[in-house]
Coordinates of all heavy atoms in Angstrom, one line a residue:
I158 N 6.8 -13.0 219.9 CA 7.7 -11.9 220.1 C 8.1 -11.8 221.5 O 7.2 -11.8 222.4 CB 7.1 -10.6 219.6 CG1 6.7 -10.6 218.1 CG2 8.0 -9.4 219.9 CD1 6.0 -9.4 217.6
V159 N 9.4 -11.8 221.8 CA 9.9 -11.6 223.1 C 10.3 -10.2 223.3 O 11.1 -9.6 222.6 CB 11.1 -12.5 223.4 CG1 11.7 -12.3 224.7 CG2 10.7 -14.0 223.2
I160 N 9.7 -9.5 224.3 CA 10.0 -8.1 224.6 C 10.7 -8.2 226.0 O 10.1 -8.5 227.0 CB 8.8 -7.3 224.6 CG1 8.1 -7.3 223.3 CG2 9.1 -5.9 225.1 CD1 6.8 -6.6 223.2
S161 N 12.0 -7.8 226.0 CA 12.7 -7.9 227.2 C 13.4 -6.6 227.5 O 13.9 -5.8 226.6 CB 13.7 -9.0 227.2 OG 14.7 -8.8 226.2
H162 N 13.6 -6.3 228.8 CA 14.3 -5.1 229.2 C 15.8 -5.6 229.4 O 16.1 -6.5 230.1 CB 13.8 -4.6 230.6 CG 12.5 -4.0 230.5 ND1 11.3 -4.7 230.4 CD2 12.2 -2.7 230.5 CE1 10.3 -3.8 230.3 NE2 10.8 -2.6 230.3
E163 N 16.6 -4.9 228.6 CA 18.1 -5.2 228.5 C 18.9 -3.9 228.5 O 18.4 -2.9 228.2 CB 18.4 -6.0 227.3 CG 17.6 -7.3 227.2 CD 18.0 -8.4 228.1 OE1 19.1 -8.3 228.8 OE2 17.3 -9.4 228.3
P164 N 20.2 -4.0 228.8 CA 21.1 -2.9 228.5 C 21.0 -2.6 227.0 O 20.9 -3.5 226.2 CB 22.4 -3.4 228.9 CG 22.2 -4.5 229.8 CD 20.9 -5.2 229.3
R165 N 21.0 -1.3 226.6 CA 20.9 -1.0 225.2 C 21.9 0.2 224.9 O 22.2 1.0 225.7 CB 19.5 -0.4 224.9 CG 18.4 -1.4 225.3 CD 18.1 -2.4 224.3 NE 17.0 -3.3 224.8 CZ 16.7 -4.4 224.2 NH1 17.4 -4.8 223.1 NH2 15.7 -5.2 224.7
T166 N 22.3 0.2 223.6 CA 23.0 1.3 223.1 C 22.4 1.7 221.8 O 22.1 0.8 220.9 CB 24.5 0.9 222.8 OG1 25.0 0.3 224.0 CG2 25.4 2.1 222.4
A167 N 22.2 3.0 221.6 CA 21.6 3.5 220.3 C 22.1 4.9 220.1 O 22.6 5.6 220.9 CB 20.1 3.4 220.5
L168 N 21.9 5.3 218.8 CA 22.2 6.7 218.5 C 21.0 7.2 217.6 O 20.4 6.4 216.9 CB 23.5 6.9 217.8 CG 23.8 6.2 216.5 CD1 23.3 7.1 215.3 CD2 25.3 6.1 216.4
G169 N 20.8 8.4 217.6 CA 19.8 9.1 216.7 C 20.3 10.5 216.3 O 21.2 11.0 217.0
F170 N 19.7 11.0 215.3 CA 20.2 12.3 214.9 C 19.1 13.0 214.1 O 18.1 12.4 213.6 CB 21.5 12.3 214.0 CG 21.4 11.4 212.8 CD1 21.0 12.0 211.6 CD2 21.6 10.0 212.9 CE1 20.9 11.1 210.4 CE2 21.6 9.2 211.7 CZ 21.2 9.8 210.5
N171 N 19.2 14.3 214.0 CA 18.3 15.1 213.2 C 19.3 16.2 212.5 O 20.5 15.9 212.4 CB 17.2 15.8 214.0 CG 17.7 16.8 215.1 OD1 18.8 17.3 215.0 ND2 16.9 16.9 216.1
D172 N 18.8 17.2 211.9 CA 19.6 18.1 211.1 C 20.5 18.9 212.0 O 21.4 19.6 211.5 CB 18.7 19.1 210.3 CG 18.0 18.4 209.2 OD1 18.4 17.3 208.8 OD2 16.9 18.9 208.8
E173 N 20.3 18.9 213.3 CA 21.1 19.8 214.2 C 21.8 19.0 215.3 O 22.9 19.5 215.8 CB 20.2 20.8 214.9 CG 19.4 21.7 214.0 CD 18.4 22.6 214.7 OE1 18.4 22.5 215.9 OE2 17.7 23.3 214.0
K174 N 21.4 17.9 215.7 CA 21.9 17.2 216.9 C 22.1 15.7 216.7 O 21.4 15.1 215.9 CB 21.0 17.4 218.1 CG 20.9 18.8 218.6 CD 20.0 18.9 219.8 CE 19.9 20.3 220.2 NZ 19.0 20.5 221.4
L175 N 23.1 15.2 217.4 CA 23.4 13.7 217.5 C 23.0 13.3 218.9 O 23.5 14.0 219.9 CB 24.9 13.4 217.2 CG 25.3 12.0 217.4 CD1 24.6 11.0 216.4 CD2 26.8 11.9 217.3
F176 N 22.3 12.3 219.1 CA 21.8 11.8 220.4 C 22.5 10.4 220.6 O 22.4 9.5 219.8 CB 20.3 11.6 220.5 CG 19.6 12.9 220.1 CD1 19.1 13.0 218.8 CD2 19.4 13.9 221.0 CE1 18.4 14.2 218.5 CE2 18.8 15.1 220.7 CZ 18.2 15.2 219.4
L177 N 23.2 10.3 221.7 CA 23.8 8.9 222.1 C 23.1 8.5 223.4 O 23.0 9.2 224.3 CB 25.3 9.1 222.4 CG 26.1 9.7 221.2 CD1 27.5 10.0 221.7 CD2 26.1 8.8 220.0
I178 N 22.6 7.2 223.3 CA 21.9 6.7 224.5 C 22.6 5.3 224.9 O 22.8 4.5 224.0 CB 20.5 6.4 224.1 CG1 19.8 7.7 223.9 CG2 19.8 5.6 225.3 CD1 18.3 7.5 223.5
V179 N 23.0 5.2 226.1 CA 23.4 4.0 226.7 C 22.6 3.7 227.9 O 22.5 4.6 228.8 CB 24.9 4.0 227.0 CG1 25.3 2.7 227.7 CG2 25.8 4.2 225.8
V180 N 21.9 2.6 227.9 CA 21.0 2.3 229.1 C 21.6 1.1 229.8 O 21.9 0.0 229.2 CB 19.6 1.9 228.5 CG1 18.7 1.5 229.6 CG2 19.0 3.0 227.7
D181 N 21.8 1.3 231.1 CA 22.3 0.2 231.9 C 21.2 -0.8 232.2 O 20.0 -0.4 232.0 CB 22.8 0.7 233.3 CG 24.1 1.5 233.1 OD1 24.9 1.2 232.2 OD2 24.4 2.4 233.9
G182 N 21.5 -2.0 232.6 CA 20.4 -3.0 232.9 C 21.0 -4.2 233.5 O 22.2 -4.3 233.8
R183 N 20.1 -5.1 233.8 CA 20.5 -6.4 234.5 C 21.1 -6.2 235.8 O 22.0 -6.9 236.3 CB 21.4 -7.2 233.6 CG 20.9 -7.7 232.3 CD 21.9 -8.5 231.5 NE 21.4 -8.8 230.2 CZ 22.2 -9.1 229.2 NH1 23.5 -9.2 229.4 NH2 21.7 -9.3 228.0
Q184 N 20.8 -5.1 236.5 CA 21.3 -4.8 237.8 C 20.2 -4.4 238.8 O 19.7 -3.3 238.9 CB 22.3 -3.6 237.7 CG 23.4 -3.9 236.7 CD 24.3 -2.7 236.5 OE1 25.0 -2.2 237.5 NE2 24.4 -2.2 235.3
E185 N 19.7 -5.4 239.5 CA 18.5 -5.3 240.3 C 18.8 -4.2 241.4 O 19.9 -4.1 241.9 CB 18.3 -6.6 241.1 CG 17.0 -6.6 241.8 CD 16.6 -7.9 242.4 OE1 17.0 -9.0 241.8 OE2 16.0 -7.9 243.4
G186 N 17.8 -3.3 241.5 CA 17.9 -2.2 242.4 C 18.6 -1.0 241.8 O 18.7 0.1 242.4
Y187 N 19.2 -1.1 240.6 CA 19.8 0.0 240.0 C 19.1 0.3 238.6 O 18.7 1.4 238.3 CB 21.3 -0.2 239.8 CG 22.0 0.8 239.0 CD1 22.2 2.1 239.5 CD2 22.5 0.6 237.7 CE1 22.8 3.1 238.8 CE2 23.1 1.5 237.0 CZ 23.3 2.8 237.5 OH 23.9 3.8 236.8
S188 N 19.1 -0.7 237.7 CA 18.5 -0.5 236.4 C 18.2 -1.9 235.8 O 19.0 -2.8 235.9 CB 19.5 0.2 235.5 OG 19.0 0.3 234.2
T189 N 17.0 -2.0 235.3 CA 16.5 -3.2 234.6 C 16.7 -3.2 233.1 O 16.6 -4.2 232.5 CB 15.0 -3.5 234.9 OG1 14.3 -2.4 234.4 CG2 14.8 -3.7 236.4
G190 N 17.0 -2.0 232.6 CA 17.2 -1.8 231.2 C 15.9 -1.3 230.5 O 15.0 -0.9 231.2
M191 N 16.0 -1.3 229.2 CA 14.8 -0.9 228.4 C 14.6 -1.8 227.2 O 15.4 -2.6 226.9 CB 15.0 0.5 227.8 CG 15.2 1.6 228.8 SD 15.6 3.2 228.1 CE 13.9 3.9 227.9
T192 N 13.4 -1.8 226.7 CA 13.1 -2.5 225.5 C 13.5 -1.7 224.3 O 13.8 -0.4 224.4 CB 11.5 -2.8 225.3 OG1 10.9 -1.6 225.1 CG2 11.0 -3.6 226.5
T193 N 13.7 -2.2 223.1 CA 14.0 -1.4 221.9 C 12.9 -0.4 221.6 O 13.2 0.7 221.2 CB 14.3 -2.4 220.7 OG1 13.2 -3.2 220.5 CG2 15.6 -3.2 220.9
Y194 N 11.7 -0.8 221.9 CA 10.6 0.2 221.7 C 10.7 1.4 222.6 O 10.6 2.5 222.2 CB 9.3 -0.5 221.9 CG 8.1 0.4 221.8 CD1 7.6 0.7 220.5 CD2 7.5 1.0 222.9 CE1 6.5 1.5 220.3 CE2 6.4 1.9 222.7 CZ 5.9 2.1 221.4 OH 4.8 3.0 221.3
E195 N 11.1 1.1 223.9 CA 11.3 2.3 224.8 C 12.4 3.1 224.4 O 12.3 4.4 224.5 CB 11.5 1.7 226.2 CG 10.2 1.1 226.8 CD 10.5 0.3 228.1 OE1 11.6 -0.2 228.3 OE2 9.6 0.2 228.9
V196 N 13.5 2.6 223.9 CA 14.6 3.4 223.4 C 14.2 4.2 222.2 O 14.5 5.4 222.2 CB 15.9 2.5 223.1 CG1 16.9 3.3 222.4 CG2 16.4 1.8 224.4
A197 N 13.5 3.6 221.3 CA 13.0 4.3 220.2 C 12.1 5.5 220.6 O 12.2 6.6 220.0 CB 12.2 3.4 219.2
Q198 N 11.3 5.3 221.6 CA 10.4 6.4 222.1 C 11.2 7.5 222.7 O 10.9 8.7 222.4 CB 9.4 5.8 223.1 CG 8.3 5.0 222.5 CD 7.5 5.7 221.5 OE1 7.5 5.3 220.4 NE2 6.8 6.7 221.9
V199 N 12.2 7.2 223.4 CA 13.1 8.3 224.0 C 13.8 9.1 222.8 O 13.8 10.3 222.9 CB 14.2 7.6 224.9 CG1 15.3 8.7 225.3 CG2 13.6 7.1 226.1
L200 N 14.3 8.4 221.8 CA 14.9 9.1 220.7 C 13.9 10.0 220.0 O 14.2 11.1 219.6 CB 15.5 8.1 219.7 CG 16.8 7.5 220.3 CD1 17.2 6.2 219.5 CD2 18.0 8.5 220.3
I201 N 12.7 9.5 219.8 CA 11.6 10.3 219.1 C 11.3 11.5 220.0 O 11.3 12.7 219.5 CB 10.4 9.4 218.9 CG1 10.6 8.4 217.8 CG2 9.2 10.4 218.5 CD1 9.5 7.4 217.7
E202 N 11.2 11.3 221.3 CA 11.0 12.5 222.2 C 12.1 13.5 222.2 O 11.8 14.7 222.3 CB 10.7 12.0 223.6 CG 9.4 11.2 223.8 CD 9.2 10.6 225.1 OE1 10.0 10.9 226.0 OE2 8.3 9.7 225.2
L203 N 13.3 13.0 222.0 CA 14.5 14.0 221.9 C 14.5 14.7 220.6 O 15.2 15.7 220.5 CB 15.8 13.2 222.1 CG 16.1 12.6 223.5 CD1 17.3 11.7 223.5 CD2 16.3 13.8 224.5
G204 N 13.8 14.2 219.6 CA 13.8 14.9 218.3 C 14.5 14.2 217.2 O 14.7 14.8 216.1
A205 N 14.9 13.0 217.4 CA 15.7 12.2 216.4 C 14.8 11.9 215.2 O 13.6 11.6 215.3 CB 16.3 11.0 216.9
K206 N 15.3 12.1 214.0 CA 14.6 11.8 212.8 C 15.1 10.5 212.2 O 14.3 9.8 211.5 CB 14.8 12.9 211.7 CG 14.3 14.3 212.2 CD 12.8 14.2 212.5 CE 12.3 15.6 213.0 NZ 11.0 15.6 213.5
Q207 N 16.3 10.1 212.5 CA 16.9 8.8 212.1 C 17.6 8.2 213.3 O 18.0 9.0 214.2 CB 18.0 9.0 211.0 CG 17.5 9.7 209.7 CD 16.6 8.7 208.9 OE1 16.8 7.5 208.9 NE2 15.6 9.3 208.2
A208 N 17.6 6.9 213.4 CA 18.2 6.3 214.5 C 18.7 4.9 214.2 O 18.4 4.3 213.1 CB 17.1 6.1 215.6
M209 N 19.6 4.4 215.1 CA 20.2 3.1 214.9 C 20.4 2.4 216.2 O 20.9 3.1 217.2 CB 21.6 3.3 214.2 CG 22.3 2.0 214.0 SD 24.0 2.3 213.2 CE 23.6 3.2 211.8
N210 N 20.0 1.2 216.3 CA 20.2 0.4 217.5 C 21.6 -0.3 217.4 O 21.8 -0.8 216.3 CB 19.1 -0.7 217.7 CG 19.3 -1.5 218.9 OD1 19.3 -0.9 220.0 ND2 19.4 -2.8 218.8
L211 N 22.4 -0.1 218.4 CA 23.7 -0.7 218.3 C 23.8 -1.9 219.3 O 22.8 -2.4 219.8 CB 24.8 0.3 218.7 CG 24.8 1.5 217.8 CD1 25.6 2.7 218.4 CD2 25.3 1.2 216.4
D212 N 25.0 -2.4 219.5 CA 25.2 -3.6 220.4 C 24.6 -3.3 221.8 O 24.6 -2.1 222.3 CB 26.7 -3.9 220.5 CG 27.0 -5.3 221.0 OD1 26.0 -6.1 221.1 OD2 28.1 -5.6 221.2
G213 N 24.1 -4.3 222.5 CA 23.5 -4.1 223.8 C 24.1 -5.1 224.7 O 25.2 -5.6 224.6
G214 N 23.4 -5.4 225.8 CA 23.9 -6.3 226.8 C 25.1 -5.8 227.6 O 25.2 -4.6 227.7
A215 N 25.9 -6.7 228.0 CA 27.1 -6.2 228.7 C 28.1 -5.4 227.9 O 29.0 -4.8 228.4 CB 27.9 -7.5 229.3
S216 N 27.9 -5.3 226.6 CA 28.7 -4.5 225.7 C 28.3 -3.0 225.8 O 29.0 -2.2 225.2 CB 28.6 -5.0 224.2 OG 29.1 -6.3 224.2
S217 N 27.2 -2.7 226.3 CA 26.7 -1.3 226.4 C 27.6 -0.5 227.4 O 27.4 -0.6 228.6 CB 25.2 -1.2 226.8 OG 24.4 -1.8 225.8
T218 N 28.5 0.2 226.8 CA 29.5 1.0 227.6 C 29.6 2.4 227.0 O 29.7 2.5 225.8 CB 30.9 0.3 227.6 OG1 30.7 -1.0 228.1 CG2 31.8 1.1 228.5
F219 N 29.5 3.4 227.8 CA 29.7 4.8 227.4 C 31.1 5.2 227.9 O 31.2 5.5 229.1 CB 28.6 5.7 227.9 CG 28.5 7.0 227.2 CD1 27.6 7.2 226.1 CD2 29.3 8.0 227.5 CE1 27.5 8.4 225.5 CE2 29.3 9.2 226.9 CZ 28.4 9.5 225.9
F220 N 32.0 5.4 227.0 CA 33.4 5.8 227.3 C 33.7 7.1 226.7 O 33.5 7.3 225.5 CB 34.3 4.7 226.8 CG 35.8 4.9 227.2 CD1 36.2 4.5 228.4 CD2 36.7 5.6 226.3 CE1 37.6 4.6 228.8 CE2 38.0 5.8 226.7 CZ 38.5 5.3 227.9
A221 N 34.0 8.1 227.5 CA 34.3 9.5 227.0 C 35.3 10.1 227.8 O 35.4 9.9 229.1 CB 33.0 10.3 226.9
D222 N 36.2 10.9 227.2 CA 37.2 11.6 227.9 C 38.0 10.7 228.9 O 38.4 11.1 230.0 CB 36.6 12.8 228.7 CG 36.1 13.9 227.7 OD1 36.7 14.1 226.6 OD2 35.1 14.5 228.1
G223 N 38.3 9.5 228.5 CA 39.1 8.6 229.2 C 38.5 7.9 230.4 O 39.2 7.3 231.1
E224 N 37.2 7.9 230.5 CA 36.5 7.2 231.6 C 35.2 6.6 231.2 O 34.5 7.1 230.2 CB 36.4 8.1 232.8 CG 35.4 9.3 232.6 CD 35.3 10.1 233.8 OE1 34.8 9.6 234.9 OE2 35.7 11.3 233.8
V225 N 34.8 5.6 231.8 CA 33.5 4.9 231.6 C 32.5 5.7 232.4 O 32.6 5.9 233.6 CB 33.5 3.4 232.1 CG1 32.1 2.8 231.9 CG2 34.5 2.7 231.2
L226 N 31.4 6.2 231.7 CA 30.4 7.0 232.3 C 29.1 6.3 232.7 O 28.2 6.9 233.2 CB 30.0 8.2 231.4 CG 31.2 9.1 230.9 CD1 30.8 10.1 230.0 CD2 31.8 9.7 232.2
N227 N 29.1 5.0 232.5 CA 27.9 4.2 233.0 C 28.3 3.0 233.8 O 29.5 2.9 234.1 CB 27.1 3.8 231.7 CG 27.7 2.7 230.9 OD1 28.9 2.8 230.6 ND2 27.0 1.7 230.5
R228 N 27.4 2.2 234.1 CA 27.7 0.9 234.9 C 27.4 -0.3 234.0 O 26.3 -0.8 234.1 CB 26.9 0.9 236.2 CG 27.4 1.9 237.2 CD 26.6 2.0 238.4 NE 26.3 0.8 239.1 CZ 25.5 0.7 240.2 NH1 25.0 1.8 240.7 NH2 25.3 -0.4 240.7
P229 N 28.3 -0.8 233.2 CA 28.0 -1.9 232.3 C 27.6 -3.1 233.2 O 28.1 -3.4 234.3 CB 29.4 -2.2 231.7 CG 30.1 -0.9 231.7 CD 29.6 -0.2 233.0
S230 N 26.7 -3.9 232.6 CA 26.1 -5.0 233.4 C 27.0 -6.1 233.7 O 26.8 -6.8 234.7 CB 24.8 -5.5 232.7 OG 25.2 -6.1 231.4
G231 N 28.0 -6.3 233.0 CA 28.9 -7.4 233.2 C 29.9 -7.1 234.4 O 30.6 -8.1 234.8
G232 N 30.0 -5.9 234.8 CA 30.9 -5.6 235.9 C 32.2 -5.2 235.5 O 32.9 -4.4 236.1
D233 N 32.7 -5.8 234.4 CA 34.0 -5.5 233.8 C 33.8 -5.0 232.4 O 32.8 -5.3 231.7 CB 34.9 -6.7 233.8 CG 35.2 -7.3 235.2 OD1 35.5 -6.4 236.0 OD2 35.1 -8.5 235.4
L234 N 34.8 -4.3 231.8 CA 34.7 -3.9 230.4 C 34.9 -5.1 229.5 O 35.8 -5.9 229.8 CB 35.8 -2.8 230.2 CG 35.6 -1.5 230.9 CD1 36.7 -0.5 230.5 CD2 34.2 -0.9 230.7
R235 N 34.2 -5.1 228.5 CA 34.3 -6.2 227.5 C 35.0 -5.7 226.3 O 34.9 -4.6 225.9 CB 32.9 -6.7 227.1 CG 32.2 -7.4 228.2 CD 30.8 -7.8 227.7 NE 30.9 -8.9 226.8 CZ 29.9 -9.6 226.4 NH1 28.7 -9.2 226.7 NH2 30.1 -10.6 225.5
K236 N 35.7 -6.6 225.6 CA 36.3 -6.3 224.3 C 35.1 -6.5 223.3 O 34.4 -7.5 223.3 CB 37.4 -7.3 224.0 CG 38.6 -7.2 224.8 CD 39.7 -8.1 224.5 CE 40.9 -8.0 225.4 NZ 41.9 -8.9 225.1
V237 N 34.9 -5.4 222.5 CA 33.9 -5.4 221.5 C 34.5 -5.1 220.1 O 35.6 -4.5 220.0 CB 32.7 -4.5 221.8 CG1 32.0 -4.9 223.1 CG2 33.3 -3.0 221.9
L238 N 33.8 -5.5 219.1 CA 34.3 -5.3 217.7 C 33.8 -4.1 217.1 O 34.1 -3.8 215.9 CB 34.0 -6.6 216.9 CG 34.7 -7.8 217.4 CD1 34.3 -9.0 216.6 CD2 36.2 -7.7 217.4
N239 N 32.8 -3.4 217.7 CA 32.3 -2.2 217.1 C 32.3 -1.0 218.1 O 32.3 -1.2 219.3 CB 30.9 -2.4 216.5 CG 29.9 -2.9 217.5 OD1 29.9 -2.5 218.7 ND2 29.1 -3.9 217.2
A240 N 32.3 0.1 217.5 CA 32.3 1.3 218.4 C 31.8 2.5 217.5 O 31.9 2.4 216.3 CB 33.6 1.6 219.0
V241 N 31.4 3.6 218.1 CA 31.1 4.8 217.4 C 32.1 5.8 217.9 O 32.3 6.1 219.1 CB 29.7 5.3 217.8 CG1 29.5 6.7 217.1 CG2 28.7 4.3 217.3
L242 N 32.9 6.3 217.0 CA 34.0 7.3 217.3 C 33.5 8.7 216.9 O 33.2 8.9 215.7 CB 35.3 6.9 216.7 CG 36.5 7.9 216.9 CD1 36.8 8.0 218.3 CD2 37.6 7.4 216.0
I243 N 33.5 9.6 217.8 CA 33.1 10.9 217.5 C 34.3 11.9 217.8 O 34.7 11.9 219.0 CB 31.8 11.4 218.2 CG1 30.7 10.4 217.9 CG2 31.5 12.8 217.9 CD1 29.5 10.6 218.7
M244 N 34.7 12.6 216.8 CA 35.9 13.5 217.1 C 35.4 14.9 216.8 O 34.6 15.2 216.0 CB 37.0 13.1 216.1 CG 37.4 11.7 216.3 SD 38.6 11.2 215.1 CE 40.0 12.2 215.5
K245 N 36.0 15.8 217.7 CA 35.7 17.2 217.5 C 36.9 18.0 217.0 O 38.0 17.5 217.0 CB 35.1 17.8 218.8 CG 35.9 17.6 220.0 CD 35.3 18.2 221.2 CE 36.1 17.8 222.5 NZ 35.6 18.5 223.6

């Protein structure tokens, strides 16, 4: 089993809340990332009852209200084939 710290994207939820997690990584001096186990632990601590690991690596981007809110590891935005769209 290979356990590596990488950029991660995940979501979790319970009966009341939705939790969105984007972890930066591969950026020495800024962020090394997390393992999937560490992300799961954070979601459990937040109170998530169900969770899903999404795309990671340089694709881990948090985009809201017209701007990127994290520092993706690739330096540039990547085209990805999946996303989570939340509308209010």
Side-chain angles (χ1 to χ4, degrees):
I158 297 175
V159 176
I160 299 174
S161 61
H162 288 81
E163 301 289 346
R165 307 280 179 188
T166 305
L168 64 82
F170 58 93
N171 60 29
D172 292 336
E173 299 173 7
K174 296 181 181 179
L175 172 67
F176 307 98
L177 303 171
I178 296 178
V179 176
V180 179
D181 291 331
R183 299 181 188 158
Q184 299 175 63
E185 191 172 328
Y187 175 69
S188 177
T189 59
M191 296 177 90
T192 66
T193 52
Y194 179 82
E195 290 169 333
V196 171
Q198 287 301 115
V199 168
L200 287 165
I201 290 167
E202 290 172 14
L203 289 171
K206 301 298 181 191
Q207 301 288 326
M209 179 184 302
N210 184 59
L211 301 168
D212 201 4
S216 298
S217 290
T218 303
F219 195 98
F220 185 85
D222 293 327
E224 64 181 295
V225 176
L226 301 178
N227 70 316
R228 287 174 50 181
S230 67
D233 296 316
L234 297 181
R235 293 178 70 172
K236 293 180 181 180
V237 294
L238 297 177
N239 59 38
V241 175
L242 176 63
I243 300 169
M244 299 175 66
K245 53 181 172 174

